[in-house]
Amino acid sequence: MADEYEFEIKRKDESGKVYYSTYKVPKDKISTVLEGLLYIKENLDQSLSFRYSCRMEICGSCGMEIDGKPRMACSTIVEDLKKDHIKIEPLKHYKVIRDLVVDIDPFFDKYREVKPYIIRDDDGKYDKELPQTPEQFHEYANFAMCIKCGLCMAACPIEGSDPNYLGPAPLAAAWRYIADNRDQGAKYRVEVVDGEEGTSRCHFAGECTEVCPKGVDPSFAIQKLRRTALKIEIASIFGGR
Amino acid sequence: MVEVNKEMKEGITAWAKFYKKGMGYFAFAFHRLSGLVILFYLYLHYTVLSNLLRGQATYNAIVKSITYGPYDSFLVLDFLLALVIFYHGANGVRLALNEFGIGMYHHKALFITFEIIAMVLLGLFDYYALQFVGVGF
């Protein structure tokens, strides 16, 4: 085994030219991929661009394709990849701004579409607290763990063939709020999630769940959304909302 | 609807990339592939059936040539078609159950179980199909 890792990184400069750069990183200096990138930035090539912030898998900034799979650079231990040659590319299904930095605005635009906040019929003017049992909390707790890193959007094969598809994270967020007993906005969200670019586009490949660094299960949420949307649509036929 | 940058689009080949993908992805990709094969067969079937318009004798001659020769090698494709249909059907039932909220916590186990059942049924189908065309065991 060599005492250096070889980082092969897909680059894109300001002129739009795409190329690969390879760097040798000493094994005893780094443990995570992000540390490797920082080593390159500080010691080998200051022009390398990548996004990061918290370094502890909370901010969701450092998502990238590492060894062919969307992962967080901060929580990917290089040794766990079991190879010395590490290929790093920007996340798929996003517009690349420069090197490993992608434009995540379309992702957040989609996220906003599903109204990711508590909606109340009383417009928030309730005079007593809204109680919630532990069981009610656990109905949505898993989906509230989402850090909006967007890895699921890069892993979803439908996102690759139909960029209009809302995608796993926004749909999981829709379910997170619909499953919350304090929320009364399901009837509004169903119009979006049950539309042409909503849950019906999902074919249950399950890659979103496979790559989620926080263990969120968007494919499960999408199936739950389908059932809820069906119930609401049927109720609306008979005059209910 | 959200304004989407078309640079995001990877094309229809996006679903045919298997490297580092999980079991659910294989189920999804082969479901699509098998669906395309079944669709192709449907139109092939219509084409063969359309020979009925050319008379009973012509149609019977075509069916006989495919079943007993000189083009009986097409029978191998029939067995491959059966494989594709059994796979697609079993996974389709699994997906329908999941979409109704049944077995979602165990969808991978459900996939394996349904495919094992489908392959056992395929074996029985192949056995009786071979008996039918006169290949004994």
Side-chain angles (χ1 to χ4, degrees):
Chain A
M1 292 284 277
D3 54 2
E4 288 177 326
Y5 290 118
E6 206 172 60
F7 277 46
E8 185 185 2
I9 302 173
K10 191 175 183 180
R11 312 282 304 269
K12 181 183 176 187
D13 64 20
E14 61 271 23
S15 68
K17 186 184 157 201
V18 176
Y19 59 100
Y20 283 86
S21 296
T22 303
Y23 305 95
K24 294 202 182 295
V25 180
K27 285 184 177 177
D28 59 347
K29 297 280 185 194
I30 65 158
S31 95
T32 66
V33 170
L34 180 61
E35 286 171 5
L37 293 173
L38 288 167
Y39 179 88
I40 295 167
K41 180 93 174 166
E42 288 165 8
N43 300 286
L44 306 174
D45 185 351
Q46 290 182 0
S47 71
L48 180 66
S49 297
F50 52 95
R51 188 183 277 134
Y52 74 100
S53 182
C54 74
R55 309 183 193 207
M56 57 178 83
E57 209 183 68
I58 291 173
C59 71
S61 304
C62 63
M64 52 191 75
E65 300 272 338
I66 300 168
D67 191 27
K69 193 173 179 178
R71 305 174 210 247
M72 303 305 295
C74 65
S75 58
T76 302
I77 309 294
V78 189
E79 201 177 343
D80 289 348
L81 298 173
K82 310 240 182 280
K83 52 172 69 172
D84 290 344
H85 183 88
I86 317 293
K87 194 170 183 178
I88 303 172
E89 296 182 325
L91 284 177
K92 286 177 187 164
H93 313 158
Y94 293 89
K95 182 185 175 187
V96 179
I97 297 171
R98 185 182 169 121
D99 296 345
L100 301 171
V101 181
V102 295
D103 179 9
I104 53 172
D105 282 352
F107 166 54
F108 283 112
D109 289 343
K110 287 180 179 181
Y111 209 89
R112 272 189 284 272
E113 286 271 303
V114 301
K115 306 181 195 307
Y117 38 81
I118 299 277
I119 299 172
R120 298 280 305 168
D121 288 341
D122 56 20
D123 208 17
K125 295 183 179 67
Y126 42 88
D127 49 14
K128 59 178 183 177
E129 68 178 278
L130 302 169
Q132 190 168 68
T133 64
E135 290 75 25
Q136 287 171 326
F137 169 71
H138 287 297
E139 279 292 309
Y140 69 84
N142 172 266
F143 309 102
M145 297 299 289
C146 175
I147 55 172
K148 296 152 199 75
C149 59
L151 296 193
C152 53
M153 308 289 276
C156 175
I158 309 302
E159 275 291 325
S161 54
D162 180 8
N164 290 313
Y165 170 48
L166 271 175
L171 290 172
W175 177 248
R176 177 256 174 268
Y177 286 97
I178 289 173
D180 191 324
N181 67 303
R182 300 165 297 181
D183 182 79
Q184 295 167 325
K187 49 190 174 286
Y188 306 112
R189 291 192 193 93
V190 160
E191 290 172 14
V192 181
V193 302
D194 201 32
E196 196 181 334
E197 304 298 344
T199 56
S200 58
R201 279 278 183 272
C202 172
H203 295 275
F204 209 17
E207 277 301 296
C208 48
T209 302
E210 293 282 336
V211 302
C212 181
K214 307 305 281 188
V216 180
D217 192 349
S219 60
F220 180 86
I222 293 169
Q223 309 313 312
K224 294 284 253 184
L225 271 178
R226 280 178 167 158
R227 198 157 69 156
T228 304
L230 184 65
K231 279 183 188 168
I232 292 174
E233 297 285 4
I234 289 173
S236 70
I237 293 170
F238 296 102
R241 288 290 290 177
Chain B
M1 196 61 207
V2 173
E3 188 73 25
V4 171
N5 191 314
K6 297 298 176 194
E7 269 189 53
M8 288 163 66
K9 193 165 180 170
E10 220 184 336
I12 57 166
T13 55
W15 55 269
K17 293 172 183 168
F18 298 105
Y19 182 62
K20 294 273 175 189
K21 300 289 168 63
M23 187 197 295
Y25 189 87
F26 280 85
F28 153 78
F30 283 112
H31 196 73
R32 282 198 154 184
L33 191 64
S34 56
L36 288 173
V37 171
I38 293 167
L39 187 68
F40 173 74
Y41 170 75
L42 183 69
Y43 284 97
L44 190 67
H45 189 56
Y46 285 154
T47 308
V48 173
L49 281 181
S50 68
N51 283 294
L52 279 166
L53 295 169
R54 294 163 64 192
Q56 188 181 352
T58 311
Y59 179 74
N60 283 345
I62 290 170
V63 172
K64 194 178 170 188
S65 71
I66 295 169
T67 314
Y68 297 108
Y71 304 112
D72 55 357
S73 52
F74 275 94
L75 279 177
V76 177
L77 295 179
D78 268 356
F79 286 108
L80 287 176
L81 179 70
L83 170 71
V84 163
I85 289 173
F86 275 82
Y87 170 81
H88 193 88
N91 194 38
V93 172
R94 194 257 315 184
L95 287 172
L97 288 174
N98 285 160
E99 287 182 15
F100 279 114
I102 301 165
M104 278 194 297
Y105 287 109
H106 309 288
H107 61 91
K108 285 182 184 173
L110 211 60
F111 170 69
I112 293 168
T113 308
F114 272 67
E115 288 307 326
I116 288 172
I117 293 170
M119 292 308 120
V120 170
L121 291 175
L122 173 68
L124 287 171
F125 169 83
D126 285 352
Y127 174 77
Y128 285 109
L130 286 169
Q131 297 277 319
F132 179 74
V133 295
V135 179
F137 290 104

